[in-house]
Amino acid sequence: MKFRFNLPVKAFFGTGTVRDNAAEFKNRGGMAFIVTGKSSADSNGSLRDTVASLDECGIAWERYNGIEPNPSVENVRDAAERARKCGADFIIGIGGGSPLDASKAVAILAANDIDDDELFSTDFPVRPLPVVAIPTTAGTGSEVTPYSILTYNKISNKKSIASDLIFPALAFLDPSYTYTLGIGSTINTAVDALSHAVEGYLSVRSSAMIRPLALESISLLAGTFSTLRKHVLPDEETRATLLFASMLAGMVIAHTGTTAVHAMGYPLTYYRNIDHGRANGLVMEGYLRFIEKDNHRVREILSAMGLESVEGFGELMSELLGPAEKLSDEEIRLFTSTASGSKNMANTFPSPSTDDVHEMMKYSFRNRQ
Ligand code: NAP
Ligand code: ZN
């Protein structure tokens, strides 16, 4: 047996955890730079609690609320400029995966005057500022991953920074911050978490250490789908399960990376603005169909979900996500070539050729209307 396990994040989970553990903010410096999306942090309690804890510790703070969904390199450079100007000692990301990922890029750019090529590398001239991550969606697991996924217009796609130096130092997971999420976002983010656990379980980089985490995440998520497939908002206990399962799935991809599903999902988001989790959900059945005959672990996933077949998995996705968007043949060809160039494609077992990716894309958007 061989594996590497590295998860240098101090994580706290539970309702009220930001206030209960306010002292954790101490000794990180006198100026915090808070990175959020447009407005959700103002109404779900996360910003209020964070500011109260900072005030209690006597830490000054400034807030940037301009992070867009699927943040671009330009967007995080703008935020980093502000972080520099205010002399930030550490960065607090509050929100869905977009502000959390942005906070990691801001942590790099506030400490380093570097170009885009250097930004998308694993090492930086100066150590990035410490990051505190406070998720308000239950899907990306970004609070426990060393990834920042940015929209990179130069390559007309999304691209990830993957560096151990951007693992958040601290994460606070309070399920009550997710109560304000509508049913569409709740489903899309849950499907994102499922795709992390599924892809991680099947990745060439999966290990005996990681598979139990992935299976636990998959079976917890499957338990929530009985409610979500009826498009009914989850109760508080289910919200906590979703956030926990999402964190486990984040721990998985922190070690395995993602695979063909995320590679195919990125151009769907870049070109068609399809939500990240939904994009993954739309192509997951096609991917499982493709690898099923050579990868015996697909059966283990189906069994953890209480499903008989990949077709049953597809039906579940259809109930959760509804019909797929219509794509032209030209779009399918373009997205195939974009996906084939993504570095996470290399984690897929068995490795798909460009023709295989084309088949998966066609299956996903011709059979699921
Ligand atoms: P998101 O893009 O962060 O947020 C989507 C929308 O949800 C925003 O309009 C946001 O509003 C709103 N929102 C957030 N929390 C809310 C709440 N509690 N109540 C009501 N609305 C809320 O969505 P996401 O799916 O969590 O993140 C997707 C991003 O994460 C993508 O860029 C994806 O590539 C990335 N990702 C990263 C990793 C990783 O390991 N780092 C893994 C998977 C995905 P506001 O703008 O007002 O806040
Ligand atoms: Zn994802």
Side-chain angles (χ1 to χ4, degrees):
M1 190 185 295
K2 264 190 184 171
F3 64 80
R4 168 184 182 269
F5 187 83
N6 180 37
L7 207 95
V9 183
K10 188 173 186 182
F12 293 84
F13 190 103
T15 303
T17 190
V18 172
R19 295 297 293 116
D20 292 348
N21 299 289
E24 290 293 331
F25 286 105
K26 280 187 189 150
N27 305 323
R28 295 180 194 276
M31 173 55 85
F33 187 71
I34 304 176
V35 173
T36 71
K38 198 165 174 216
S39 61
S40 68
D42 298 271
S43 46
N44 60 29
S46 55
L47 184 65
R48 178 200 61 213
D49 289 352
T50 303
V51 165
S53 290
L54 292 172
D55 290 348
E56 188 184 317
C57 297
I59 299 169
W61 54 273
E62 195 164 307
R63 183 227 185 154
Y64 180 91
N65 75 337
I67 299 301
E68 301 146 5
N70 307 296
S72 63
V73 172
E74 295 79 6
N75 193 194
V76 297
R77 283 194 181 281
D78 184 50
E81 191 55 42
R82 286 269 307 276
R84 252 180 216 245
K85 278 201 183 120
C86 78
D89 294 305
F90 64 105
I91 312 293
I92 304 177
I94 305 178
S98 297
L100 299 194
D101 283 7
S103 68
K104 299 172 184 174
V106 169
I108 299 169
L109 292 167
N112 292 279
D113 192 5
I114 50 176
D115 64 20
D116 292 353
D117 288 338
E118 291 169 293
L119 174 62
F120 286 103
S121 67
T122 51
D123 205 359
F124 313 99
V126 178
R127 197 178 177 85
L129 299 182
V131 170
V132 178
I134 305 179
T136 65
T137 62
T140 72
S142 178
E143 67 279 3
V144 290
T145 72
Y147 309 128
S148 168
I149 292 125
L150 301 178
T151 296
Y152 194 24
N153 291 309
K154 213 177 205 163
I155 60 161
S156 300
N157 200 6
K158 300 190 73 170
K159 187 173 164 97
S160 57
I161 307 170
S163 165
D164 283 357
L165 296 170
I166 55 169
F167 266 117
L170 189 58
F172 291 113
L173 297 96
D174 183 333
S176 73
Y177 300 156
T178 67
Y179 295 170
T180 47
L181 276 173
I183 188 66
S185 309
T186 302
I187 290 176
N188 290 345
T189 45
V191 169
D192 188 25
L194 179 72
S195 71
H196 298 158
V198 165
E199 290 174 73
Y201 194 79
L202 300 170
S203 163
V204 293
R205 289 162 60 196
S206 159
S207 73
M209 176 69 218
I210 287 305
R211 283 189 288 274
L213 298 177
L215 268 195
E216 178 66 3
S217 177
I218 290 165
S219 82
L220 287 173
L221 289 166
T224 70
F225 290 153
S226 50
T227 307
L228 296 185
R229 72 197 304 171
K230 289 185 232 141
H231 291 243
V232 170
L233 278 174
D235 60 17
E236 294 182 5
E237 197 185 330
T238 309
R239 287 286 190 195
T241 302
L242 285 166
L243 189 60
F244 178 58
S246 157
M247 183 201 71
L248 289 178
M251 291 169 69
V252 170
I253 56 165
H255 294 87
T256 63
T258 54
T259 66
V261 173
H262 272 65
M264 291 188 282
Y266 289 158
L268 295 169
T269 301
Y270 185 83
Y271 288 102
R272 292 291 303 265
N273 203 25
I274 298 176
D275 189 275
H276 173 68
R278 174 177 174 81
N280 294 336
L282 293 174
V283 298
M284 222 180 329
E285 183 200 355
Y287 153 81
L288 290 175
R289 271 182 93 242
F290 167 71
I291 63 170
E292 175 180 37
K293 49 188 180 313
D294 297 305
N295 194 326
H296 66 279
R297 297 197 192 281
V298 172
R299 287 266 123 217
E300 295 162 7
I301 288 173
L302 294 173
S303 140
M305 295 185 75
L307 294 169
E308 300 285 323
S309 63
V310 170
E311 286 68 36
F313 183 94
E315 282 160 26
L316 172 63
M317 287 302 119
S318 292
E319 281 181 57
L320 289 167
L321 303 171
E325 283 74 358
K326 291 201 182 340
L327 301 191
S328 67
D329 291 341
E330 196 187 332
E331 282 175 311
I332 289 180
R333 274 195 299 275
L334 170 64
F335 300 172
T336 295
S337 112
T338 308
S340 300
S342 269
K343 65 181 177 190
N344 38 3
M345 197 56 95
N347 296 329
T348 313
F349 175 77
S351 176
S353 65
T354 303
D355 285 347
D356 296 329
V357 177
H358 194 221
E359 286 306 312
M360 287 188 253
M361 289 292 282
K362 276 198 300 194
Y363 179 86
S364 304
F365 289 93
R366 291 287 171 266
N367 291 38
R368 302 197 62 253
Q369 296 298 331

